[in-house]
Amino acid sequence: MAGTGSAGIARKRGRPTETERTQRRDDILDAAVRLFVDEGFEPVTLDRIAADAHVTKRTIYTYLGDRTDVFLAAVERLSEQTLHEAWPADGLEQLAPKIVHALHSDDAIGLHRLVIAESRRFPELAERFYDRGPRRYIAAIDARLPRDDSDADHGRAEALFALLLGEWHRQRLLGLRPAPDRAASAAHARAALDRARITPCGEEEGK
């Protein structure tokens, strides 16, 4: 099975094209996310990921690195996909619903649960997860907040990020709420912006 792709189609021999490399990387990450979410971090080996992705272990090392690198690449891919859609032209009113939808998704919740469960045994994994995920979202929010030249308080971005997660996120982590659709994500984001006193035009109310 090592010579087939995710659709069971034989891969041609020779140097892969950029499109083929991207697809192969996505196949590896898709397989890894499925395994990590279903089984946790420790039981999942590169051999298991390679078998599910229909590639060799050497391919995983070449494309991504070791097991930790694969996990973090999956986290980073989610943030890149979310932020790429909005960066740099969109304001908070466009970015906020995308963050809500992405971080309340089944994959994001599954990876978040895994990090919480494994953080004591793998503290570096938790630190790097935060750098590749939440810290990037907070930075993107911070870049869009209205401020004076003298305003260096990044706590507002962290507060708004917390509002975008909200009690929904805790309920998602506990399995008490299904993933929101786009409309529900937009409504939740709008409510968070209102509570943070961020108007649709990106200006703070009451100034």
Side-chain angles (χ1 to χ4, degrees):
M1 297 293 289
T4 62
S6 59
I9 299 174
R11 291 192 176 113
K12 66 182 181 181
R13 296 184 180 278
R15 192 177 187 88
T17 65
E18 186 61 32
T19 298
E20 290 169 338
R21 287 179 59 84
T22 299
Q23 182 60 57
R24 193 170 300 180
R25 187 177 189 274
D26 281 338
D27 289 344
I28 294 168
L29 293 179
D30 289 343
V33 168
R34 286 194 300 270
L35 290 169
F36 284 138
V37 169
D38 288 346
E39 302 181 23
F41 185 73
E42 184 63 22
V44 177
T45 64
L46 286 187
D47 286 325
R48 295 280 309 286
I49 297 171
D52 271 37
H54 307 300
V55 298
T56 65
K57 188 161 68 172
R58 180 178 178 180
T59 298
I60 297 178
Y61 275 117
T62 299
Y63 279 55
L64 296 160
D66 63 18
R67 180 180 57 174
T68 298
D69 293 326
V70 173
F71 176 84
L72 293 170
V75 174
E76 191 168 42
R77 180 178 64 164
L78 179 64
S79 64
E80 286 175 347
Q81 289 170 342
T82 304
L83 298 178
H84 178 73
E85 291 179 1
W87 188 270
D90 290 346
L92 280 174
E93 65 273 18
Q94 288 82 35
L95 176 63
K98 294 169 183 175
I99 291 177
V100 172
H101 192 260
L103 295 189
H104 290 78
S105 68
D106 289 337
D107 283 351
I109 290 296
L111 294 175
H112 199 124
R113 285 174 180 153
L114 184 153
V115 171
I116 292 172
E118 303 287 1
S119 60
R120 291 185 65 183
R121 288 193 297 170
F122 302 98
E124 184 183 355
L125 182 70
E127 292 174 6
R128 294 173 67 184
F129 167 84
Y130 190 83
D131 284 340
R132 304 287 182 93
R135 183 164 282 140
R136 298 186 72 193
Y137 294 110
I138 292 168
I141 291 170
D142 186 66
R144 290 166 171 78
L145 282 171
R147 57 163 51 87
D148 297 329
D149 291 340
S150 60
D151 186 358
D153 180 13
H154 301 310
R156 294 160 63 215
E158 294 178 354
L160 178 53
F161 182 67
L163 286 173
L164 292 174
L165 296 183
E167 191 62 18
W168 270 21
H169 196 257
R170 191 197 314 273
Q171 293 172 4
R172 287 286 292 127
L173 288 172
L174 294 172
L176 301 178
R177 176 186 288 271
D181 60 17
R182 292 283 182 180
S185 297
H188 181 79
R190 181 68 260 158
L193 292 174
D194 289 343
R195 286 194 295 273
R197 300 175 67 81
I198 304 295
T199 66
C201 65
E203 298 178 352
E204 290 183 287
E205 293 178 353
K207 297 192 89 175

